[in-house]
Amino acid sequence: MSDRTMARQVLLFIWFLSLSSSYGQVSYSIPEEMAKGSLVGNIAQDLGLDLKRLKSGKARIYTGDSAEYIELNKERGVLLIKERIDREALCGQTTPCALHLQIILDNPMELFRVTVEITDINDNSPIFKRDERRFEISESAVVGSKFMLEKAIDADIGANDLQSYFLQPTDHFDLKLHGQSDGSKKVEMILQKHLDREKQENMSLILTAIDGGEPPKSGTVQIHITVLDVNDNAPVFTKPIYSAIITENSQSGTPLITVSAFDSDKGTNGEVSYLIANSDGKSDIFHIDENGLVTLVGKVDFETSKHYQIDIEAVDNGGLSDSSKIIVDVIDVNDNAPVITVMSKSNAIPEDSPQSTVIAIISVNDPDSDSNGQVQCSVNENIPFTIKSTSNGFYSIVTDSDLDRERESWYNISVTCADEGVPSLSSSVTLSLKISDVNDNAPVFDKSFYEASIQENNTPGLSIFTVRAKDADFNQNARVSYILEDSSVNGVPVSSLVSVSADSGIIHAVRSFDYEQIKDFQFRVKAQDGGSPPLSSVVTVKITIQDQNDNAPQVLYPVQSGASVVAEIVPRSADVGYLVTKVVAVDVDSGQNAWLSYKLQKATDRALFEVGLQNGEIRTVRQVTDKDAVKQRLTVVVEDNGQPSRSATVNVNVAVADSFPEVLSEFTDFTHDKDYNDNLTFYLVLALAVVSFLFIVSIIAILSVKCYRWRRERMFYKSGANLPVIPYYPPLYADVGGTGTLQHVYNYEVCRTTDSRKSDLKYGRPCSESIISLDTSGTQTLTHAQRERLNFDDCENQQKPPSADWRFTQNQRPGPSGAAATPEVAVGTGPWPNPPTEAEQLQALMAAANEVSEATNTLGPGTMGLSTRYSPQFTLQHVPDYRQNVYIPGSTATLTSNQQQPQQALPPPQAAAAIAVAQPEPPKAAQTPASKKKSTKKEKK
């Protein structure tokens, strides 16, 4: 390539560049056969784009269905040669030859058109289809005879195309070139000189074709001429140009036209044959027979070629020929559907995308002409998308309304493009678009208010019920977590009562509930999704505690006390239905668990008493008679209506008597029911240990006393002198071992000589006979010193000097009637006198009761008297007045009076305590081994 040609191409490139930039597109011009990687142009600079924009927009080249010869270097922003470009293979004879590219950018989407013109270089030599050509020419051929030569084909165009022919040698023939409408030249060999077969029968000529390149290139063909004899007339076509019309896609064998040529010779020299010359591939499409009929043998496509020019030749048997041409026009039919190409598309867009958001760019091409190539595109209905035409053959699919993933999460967009031909042809493509989720929906509970119940005394951690919330969003935005909102119930944090599982919404009880403490409570649970920012909703939950029968009835009256026994007095004159007392009980449970019923479980005489099933009133069933026992013991069971039921028992002691003295003899025999607790084993072991310890201490003490007395007796025997009489005042002896008798105090004076082994006793009047003990448990109301002082003062006032008749026999000593001294009882060593007999105790008790009765008569009304126990309107609110109970000193029993038989009451505990202060209780006598033995027998009894 010369410097001048290169300069011309550069100027042409600059001109195209300036022209294209002014219209918003870029054009380049490059020569063909450039090396791979050669620079085409700086596209970033020419389009005014930044290199960052090329990278962020994912710039790419779209070339359609054609091969990719140009590539984009986004790092440098230039266009480079990707594949070697052969202009002749790419465009053939078409001029100008150009590559049309589209550069596409995303975010936002942009489209730029680039045109690259491919200029021709002289890289192809002229080529003849055949290497040689043979002619047979009659010697009678006149000068000026023409012989059609084969045209050379040069793939180059313009100046590089075929320019001239040279024939050598030129003794008899010369060349004549004829220009044609398509720019080609018809080559004819002209006879310049008569032929003489006798001189030269065969001739060889060389036809050379030269193009216009620099340096020029050439091609040659060998021409062999055989000189024939006689035939001196050539065929002649009737028309120099023939015209024909054919529809594309016509069937093979379709006739186009019939041509004819006339030869004035006769015989075989006048026979003419037809052929297609200079076919250039047309012989594969068209055929001409010996009669001049041209038919279609290949496929005619309007989109490939709109016109065909067929060079034909008529040849006689003598080798003479004539040439003509046929112009064939192809008529287009709608045989091509629009071609849809998706240039760019989005696979997913968020549901909050604004309107007119571009989701895809497509290219539509219909190679048909006129109305057959006009295309209209549309999308399917009832979707929030539409299609818009952006430029010639390019369309954008955009949103035209709001999107909602919860309503539709996936769209199949069908794009249909149809031409305007008859019949119309169409093509369609389906684009799948996913709507990505946005956290625009808060969790929704399936209920606006939850209410559940749970039995009390539940196990901590027990599942109560489940709250559920649903979120219409997707994936993380729909992941619901449950949170217990901070609140308090009666000052207690609700988190200490219940907990909620963050994942499942299961509400668990944190602790065991007690219906008697809390009956119901409310709290709030929040459901929160996992979006950013998270959305939430709140629901109120009410938990109701259901009652269980976990509390046994509690007896309010009569009160069970281990220190004393409460007895109800029923006069013997009581009629049928006489109200003895009323068992009052309550149950802290509720509902039917608190419905109480009363039943008589045990009774001394079941035929005498009955208990009201609903009210707990104890009444007589029949008339009380003299044969009925004085002491009656009733065991009443109070049972609730729960499942399973619970119960409590109460013992009611009833004394059937008309007066207190009549009751007292039997009153002390009431036994007490001790409530044994669950630690009975512990107390038994403790009692065993204490008894063992006391036994050992007693053995040691007895041995010590024995040793001490033995030493004293030896000292007495050794002394041999009479000792003075020493008055000895033993401890006060009182029997309070549960027999219910009043305390008796006895004074004894023992006198002993050194020689006498007999015990002499002096009996004196009890010092503290007037003192009444008010504490059944033996609790002292005065200090020990005060009692000793009072007792000794009384004894001193009553003590008389010894008399001569101070000795008494064993039968005259106070003690059990008819008791006789045992042989081992000696003076100073035997036990103290035995306590009074039961008859004596009863006699003393009656006397004390009479004294108390006389003392209470002197008191004013309302001070010590018994008040009415029951009234007809007795309710649970009437708490028993324990001041009405009468405590008998020296006894564990308590007597109560009834409204049917008013009776003088004994002093209440407060008054008795005051009397006890005025009259100190004498100290108890120390127990001797004999008295211990009796006490043990009484306990067993």
Side-chain angles (χ1 to χ4, degrees):
M1 183 181 294
S2 65
D3 294 337
R4 195 165 109 192
T5 304
M6 180 64 70
R8 188 167 60 246
Q9 290 180 352
V10 169
L11 291 175
L12 183 63
F13 168 77
I14 295 173
W15 180 80
F16 269 102
L17 181 63
S18 60
L19 181 63
S20 300
S21 300
S22 62
Y23 283 92
Q25 65 179 3
V26 177
S27 298
Y28 300 95
S29 178
I30 60 173
E32 66 174 331
E33 302 295 338
M34 290 183 70
K36 218 184 256 192
S38 299
L39 176 66
V40 176
N42 192 329
I43 190 65
Q45 180 180 352
D46 297 335
L47 292 178
L49 298 176
D50 189 16
L51 294 180
K52 295 182 179 178
R53 172 60 181 144
L54 293 179
K55 295 178 182 179
S56 63
K58 300 178 181 179
R60 56 195 179 276
I61 294 177
Y62 174 75
T63 60
D65 294 334
S66 60
E68 293 183 6
Y69 295 99
I70 308 297
E71 66 178 357
L72 173 63
N73 189 326
K74 291 186 283 186
E75 301 293 332
R76 298 167 53 195
V78 296
L79 296 178
L80 302 176
I81 297 297
K82 184 177 181 181
E83 295 291 338
R84 186 183 67 84
I85 302 175
D86 187 359
R87 191 205 65 80
E88 288 74 19
L90 181 64
C91 299
Q93 296 297 319
T94 303
T95 182
C97 180
L99 294 176
H100 298 282
L101 312 176
Q102 288 82 31
I103 296 180
I104 302 173
L105 298 177
D106 293 336
N107 299 320
M109 292 185 180
E110 294 182 291
L111 182 68
F112 300 94
R113 289 182 290 179
V114 178
T115 302
V116 180
E117 182 182 11
I118 310 301
T119 60
D120 184 49
I121 63 174
N122 191 22
D123 58 339
N124 293 281
S125 299
I127 298 174
F128 290 94
K129 187 175 181 182
R130 290 177 289 185
D131 295 333
E132 62 181 16
R133 179 73 183 274
R134 295 184 179 274
F135 290 95
E136 293 180 352
I137 304 174
S138 175
E139 63 177 351
S140 61
V142 296
V143 174
S145 298
K146 301 176 182 178
F147 301 95
M148 178 72 66
L149 298 180
E150 180 183 2
K151 291 191 299 183
I153 299 174
D154 193 340
D156 297 328
I157 60 172
N160 298 320
D161 196 4
L162 182 65
Q163 297 294 326
S164 62
Y165 294 87
F166 296 97
L167 183 64
Q168 290 179 348
T170 60
D171 295 337
H172 293 85
F173 296 92
D174 194 5
L175 289 178
K176 187 176 182 181
L177 302 178
H178 299 279
Q180 295 183 344
S181 61
D182 58 353
S184 63
K185 294 181 179 180
K186 183 173 67 173
V187 182
E188 291 180 346
M189 185 174 61
I190 306 299
L191 181 62
Q192 299 291 336
K193 184 179 178 181
H194 290 283
L195 298 175
D196 188 2
R197 185 191 63 82
E198 288 72 20
K199 291 182 178 180
Q200 189 175 3
E201 185 176 358
N202 297 311
M203 288 182 290
S204 293
L205 305 176
I206 296 176
L207 179 62
T208 303
I210 301 174
D211 61 16
E214 293 182 3
K217 292 186 177 183
S218 62
T220 61
V221 62
Q222 190 79 25
I223 301 175
H224 299 281
I225 299 176
T226 301
V227 179
L228 300 176
D229 202 11
V230 178
N231 191 16
D232 54 351
N233 293 294
V236 177
F237 280 100
T238 58
K239 292 182 179 180
I241 298 175
Y242 293 90
S243 298
I245 297 174
I246 190 172
T247 303
E248 67 170 330
N249 298 329
S250 296
Q251 297 295 326
S252 178
T254 301
L256 274 75
I257 192 173
T258 300
V259 296
S260 63
F262 177 75
D263 193 332
S264 59
D265 292 331
K266 292 183 179 179
T268 58
N269 292 329
E271 294 179 359
V272 178
S273 61
Y274 301 93
L275 58 90
I276 296 176
N278 301 324
S279 62
D280 295 335
K282 297 182 180 63
S283 59
D284 298 331
I285 303 174
F286 303 99
H287 174 71
I288 186 169
D289 60 9
E290 63 276 5
N291 296 320
L293 177 61
V294 180
T295 59
L296 179 68
V297 294
K299 183 178 181 181
V300 178
D301 190 358
F302 176 84
E303 288 73 35
T304 303
S305 179
K306 300 177 177 60
H307 306 280
Y308 291 92
Q309 179 175 319
I310 306 172
D311 292 329
I312 58 175
E313 183 178 1
V315 181
D316 61 14
N317 293 330
L320 299 177
S321 64
D322 191 13
S323 63
S324 182
K325 63 182 178 180
I326 303 173
I327 303 300
V328 179
D329 294 328
V330 180
I331 299 175
D332 182 40
V333 296
N334 190 24
D335 59 341
N336 292 280
V339 178
I340 303 174
T341 303
V342 180
M343 301 175 61
S344 178
K345 80 180 193 69
S346 300
N347 294 324
I349 61 171
E351 59 178 324
D352 59 348
S353 298
Q355 292 189 16
S356 299
T357 299
V358 179
I359 65 170
I361 295 178
I362 62 174
S363 171
V364 181
N365 180 37
D366 194 328
D368 293 326
S369 63
D370 299 333
S371 61
N372 295 332
Q374 299 295 323
V375 178
Q376 298 294 332
C377 295
S378 62
V379 295
N380 50 319
E381 298 179 353
N382 301 323
I383 59 173
F385 303 99
T386 187
I387 187 168
K388 295 181 179 179
S389 177
T390 56
S391 60
N392 187 20
F394 296 94
Y395 297 86
S396 297
I397 301 175
V398 299
T399 59
D400 67 344
S401 62
D402 294 334
L403 303 176
D404 188 359
R405 191 207 66 84
E406 289 71 37
R407 186 175 64 247
E408 194 71 37
S409 62
W410 193 277
Y411 288 97
N412 289 321
I413 305 172
S414 295
V415 181
T416 303
C417 296
D419 58 27
E420 297 180 0
V422 179
S424 176
L425 299 179
S426 64
S427 298
S428 64
V429 64
T430 300
L431 305 178
S432 296
L433 180 65
K434 179 181 179 182
I435 309 301
S436 58
D437 186 47
V438 175
N439 190 27
D440 55 349
N441 291 278
V444 178
F445 285 94
D446 53 6
K447 293 182 181 179
S448 59
F449 179 80
Y450 287 92
E451 186 171 6
S453 61
I454 183 175
Q455 295 281 349
E456 66 171 332
N457 302 320
N458 59 286
T459 303
L462 179 67
S463 173
I464 302 176
F465 74 107
T466 303
V467 294
R468 289 186 176 86
K470 295 182 180 178
D471 196 315
D473 293 322
F474 178 71
N475 207 353
Q476 183 67 25
N477 295 331
R479 186 173 299 170
V480 180
S481 299
Y482 302 91
I483 302 172
L484 183 65
E485 286 197 341
D486 294 334
S487 61
S488 60
V489 178
N490 298 332
V492 178
V494 72
S495 59
S496 64
L497 300 177
V498 294
S499 66
V500 61
S501 175
D503 297 328
S504 61
I506 300 176
I507 296 178
H508 299 271
V510 175
R511 67 180 187 184
S512 179
F513 296 112
D514 189 358
Y515 175 82
E516 287 70 38
Q517 294 181 359
I518 181 172
K519 293 178 173 56
D520 59 69
F521 61 94
Q522 292 185 1
F523 57 91
R524 290 166 46 128
V525 175
K526 180 170 69 174
Q528 180 174 293
D529 59 26
S532 179
L535 301 178
S536 62
S537 59
V538 180
V539 69
T540 301
V541 180
K542 180 179 180 181
I543 303 296
T544 302
I545 311 302
Q546 293 183 350
D547 183 42
Q548 282 187 335
N549 191 26
D550 58 340
N551 292 280
Q554 298 178 1
V555 178
L556 300 180
Y557 183 83
V559 179
Q560 299 295 292
S561 173
S564 63
V565 177
V566 178
E568 306 290 343
I569 299 177
V570 177
R572 294 188 180 276
S573 60
D575 295 332
V576 177
Y578 177 82
L579 178 61
V580 178
T581 185
K582 182 176 183 179
V583 178
V584 181
V586 294
D587 194 323
V588 296
D589 292 324
S590 65
Q592 67 177 5
N593 295 329
W595 297 351
L596 300 180
S597 60
Y598 302 85
K599 299 177 183 178
L600 184 61
Q601 185 181 37
K602 292 189 298 184
T604 304
D605 188 355
R606 281 187 172 272
L608 183 56
F609 301 101
E610 68 175 359
V611 179
L613 181 63
Q614 302 298 333
N615 54 21
E617 293 180 352
I618 300 176
R619 295 179 180 273
T620 58
V621 180
R622 59 176 175 79
Q623 181 71 38
V624 181
T625 63
D626 294 337
K627 295 181 181 181
D628 294 326
V630 175
K631 56 182 180 180
Q632 298 283 339
R633 183 180 182 86
L634 309 178
T635 301
V636 179
V637 177
V638 183
E639 186 176 16
D640 59 26
N641 197 33
Q643 292 295 331
S645 63
R646 293 177 178 268
S647 62
T649 59
V650 61
N651 294 324
V652 179
N653 297 308
V654 179
V656 181
D658 292 328
S659 61
F660 282 115
E662 185 180 354
V663 179
L664 293 179
S665 61
E666 301 291 339
F667 184 70
T668 58
D669 293 335
F670 283 112
T671 60
H672 304 282
D673 288 337
K674 302 294 184 178
D675 293 331
Y676 294 93
N677 54 32
D678 295 336
N679 297 325
L680 180 59
T681 303
F682 170 77
Y683 291 115
L684 290 176
V685 174
L686 181 62
L688 180 60
V690 172
V691 169
S692 300
F693 174 78
L694 294 177
F695 176 77
I696 296 172
V697 172
S698 301
I699 295 299
I700 295 174
I702 291 173
L703 294 176
S704 300
V705 171
K706 289 291 185 181
C707 292
Y708 176 76
R709 289 181 178 177
W710 178 74
R711 292 183 61 187
R712 290 191 61 183
E713 288 177 358
R714 290 192 63 185
M715 291 176 63
F716 287 150
Y717 285 131
K718 290 179 180 179
S719 64
N722 295 330
L723 295 177
V725 177
I726 301 173
Y728 177 71
Y729 299 96
L732 302 179
Y733 181 85
D735 183 10
V736 291
T739 59
T741 61
L742 295 173
Q743 296 179 349
H744 297 274
V745 181
Y746 299 90
N747 292 333
Y748 300 90
E749 182 177 345
V750 179
C751 299
R752 188 179 67 173
T753 62
T754 57
D755 296 332
S756 175
R757 304 285 296 179
K758 300 180 180 179
S759 297
D760 297 326
L761 300 176
K762 178 182 177 182
Y763 171 74
R765 187 178 66 84
C767 300
S768 303
E769 198 171 14
S770 62
I771 298 176
I772 300 177
S773 176
L774 301 178
D775 193 350
T776 62
S777 63
T779 304
Q780 298 178 358
T781 57
L782 295 177
T783 63
H784 182 70
Q786 291 173 339
R787 289 203 306 272
E788 292 291 337
R789 184 175 66 253
L790 291 175
N791 292 338
F792 287 127
D793 290 344
D794 193 8
C795 291
E796 289 175 359
N797 293 335
Q798 297 176 5
Q799 186 68 39
K800 300 229 181 134
S803 62
D805 55 353
W806 59 276
R807 290 183 175 87
F808 297 98
T809 64
Q810 177 67 27
N811 295 331
Q812 293 174 329
R813 296 176 183 172
S817 301
T822 58
E824 70 275 12
V825 177
V827 176
T829 61
W832 294 105
N834 293 328
T837 63
E838 294 182 357
E840 293 173 349
Q841 292 177 4
L842 180 59
Q843 184 179 0
L845 178 63
M846 297 298 293
N850 290 332
E851 291 177 2
V852 172
S853 178
E854 293 173 1
T856 55
N857 288 334
T858 62
L859 300 175
T863 303
M864 300 294 289
L866 295 174
S867 62
T868 302
R869 176 61 53 87
Y870 295 105
S871 63
Q873 294 81 16
F874 181 84
T875 62
L876 293 176
Q877 287 76 12
H878 293 79
V879 180
D881 188 359
Y882 296 105
R883 293 177 297 178
Q884 298 170 0
N885 299 335
V886 178
Y887 298 86
I888 303 301
S891 173
T892 59
T894 303
L895 299 181
T896 59
S897 63
N898 197 283
Q899 67 175 356
Q900 281 81 357
Q901 187 175 347
Q903 190 170 339
Q904 294 295 331
L906 295 178
Q910 296 82 352
I915 297 173
V917 173
Q919 299 179 1
E921 178 186 0
K924 297 179 181 180
Q927 292 184 352
T928 61
S931 64
K932 288 181 180 179
K933 189 179 295 183
K934 278 194 171 187
S935 176
T936 304
K937 289 181 179 180
K938 288 183 179 181
E939 291 176 358
K940 290 181 178 180
K941 183 177 179 181

